Amino acid sequence: MSDWFSIEGKTALVTGGSRGIGEMIAAGFLKHGAKVYISSRKVDVCNATATRLQNQYGSECASIPADLSTLAGIEQLASELGDREARLDILVNNAGATWGDPIDTFPEMGWDKVMDTNVKGIFFLTQKCLPMLRQAATQADPARVVNIGSIDGIKTPRFDNFSYGPSKAAVHHLTRQMAAHLVRENIIVNAIAPGPFPSWMLSAGVGFGGQVEGADWESVGKGNPRGRVGTMEDIAGLAIFLSSRAGAFTVGETISCDGGVVAAS
């Protein structure tokens, strides 16, 4: 049965992998024998996280910092990865941005930054990685793309982040459209819509000022139907399922990973 869920020996790229949900997915992949590249904007943070994860889990983890809100940054990441690897088994499009402001003062910059990173970034990075994904893809073992959306793209967000929810709804629909085009090339595309996880983004939203370690996540979890926030096992386990033999017939889906928030809303 373990073979059904194995990703051992696969090569993965996790964007936004230096912290939060991206780091959790990268850690889960490394724990189960994958080789992982992580990318994020801040060079020192990305490099430090890659070193720490490699030391912790023993599998190879490498850092390729890049700004995925721009086409130049996307092309740089894809080019550098292509110089190191001929094939890419798993692409996790997790890099994302948000912006909070009241509706009367919400700025154009807050719209463009979020849409460029969360939607355009996913499409064009997938496009630029297609040669490597095609090289890895077979009928028996397809290549995988896992896009990270959000439950804010399914239900009305609780915060004044007017570009974030629409951007994640676009990610969910883009996932389905890309899946329809790529499935016949043995590239399977799905999305995960996370709920509350201990991350910088949620910390800033709930008033913890971006603090993750030592923040009162128990109080946040009390408002969740499961009575807690998500863990590495929750989000990485789902990403591993979608990247393994067990998930090879699941195509174009957006799966909530939220402790029941959407179901109870």
Side-chain angles (χ1 to χ4, degrees):
M1 180 139 181
S2 63
D3 293 342
W4 297 1
F5 298 91
S6 176
I7 56 168
E8 187 170 357
K10 291 183 179 293
T11 299
L13 168 63
V14 181
T15 68
S18 67
R19 65 185 184 186
I21 284 174
E23 181 182 344
M24 293 179 197
I25 293 173
F29 281 2
L30 290 164
K31 181 179 176 66
H32 291 278
K35 177 181 181 181
V36 179
Y37 290 88
I38 63 170
S39 182
S40 65
R41 283 189 306 111
K42 295 181 179 178
V43 176
D44 55 343
V45 176
C46 196
N47 291 342
T49 300
T51 299
R52 175 168 48 80
L53 290 176
Q54 179 165 296
N55 291 340
Q56 184 174 355
Y57 293 103
S59 295
E60 184 175 353
C61 185
S63 166
I64 307 180
D67 181 359
L68 300 184
S69 67
T70 69
L71 189 56
I74 290 166
E75 290 175 338
Q76 174 229 315
L77 172 56
S79 175
E80 190 165 339
L81 182 62
D83 289 341
R84 301 191 194 187
E85 302 288 342
R87 50 182 285 157
L88 179 64
D89 299 290
I90 306 164
L91 169 62
V92 179
N93 285 308
N94 169 73
T98 190
W99 193 289
D101 258 315
I103 192 167
D104 291 298
T105 57
F106 199 90
E108 182 182 16
M109 180 186 297
W111 192 269
D112 292 345
K113 177 183 178 181
V114 170
M115 289 292 178
D116 284 350
T117 305
N118 295 5
V119 187
K120 188 173 79 173
I122 283 180
F123 177 79
F124 283 103
L125 182 60
T126 305
Q127 180 194 71
K128 302 307 178 187
C129 288
L130 278 176
M132 289 176 283
L133 290 165
R134 286 174 174 137
Q135 192 67 29
T138 67
Q139 175 72 24
D141 190 11
R144 316 299 170 95
V145 178
V146 180
N147 298 327
I148 305 302
S150 171
I151 58 171
D152 281 357
I154 299 173
K155 66 173 192 62
T156 303
R158 58 179 288 200
F159 304 117
D160 289 344
N161 51 359
F162 293 97
S163 54
Y164 183 75
S167 77
K168 293 302 187 176
V171 169
H172 302 163
H173 192 73
L174 178 62
T175 296
R176 189 168 184 172
Q177 188 171 8
M178 288 198 301
H181 280 266
L182 294 174
V183 65
R184 297 187 187 281
E185 296 190 60
N186 298 315
I187 301 172
I188 292 178
V189 186
N190 287 290
I192 298 173
F197 280 79
S199 65
W200 179 91
M201 190 178 290
L202 181 59
S203 173
V206 299
F208 294 161
Q211 180 186 2
V212 178
E213 297 297 328
D216 187 10
W217 294 112
E218 185 177 351
S219 67
V220 177
K222 287 178 179 177
N224 185 276
R226 284 281 286 124
R228 62 173 176 83
V229 295
T231 67
M232 185 264 276
E233 292 84 354
D234 297 319
I235 194 72
L238 181 51
I240 288 169
F241 160 72
L242 290 173
S243 303
S244 69
R245 174 61 186 87
F249 208 58
T250 300
V251 179
E253 295 298 317
T254 296
I255 304 174
S256 297
C257 185
D258 65 351
V261 175
V262 170
S265 64

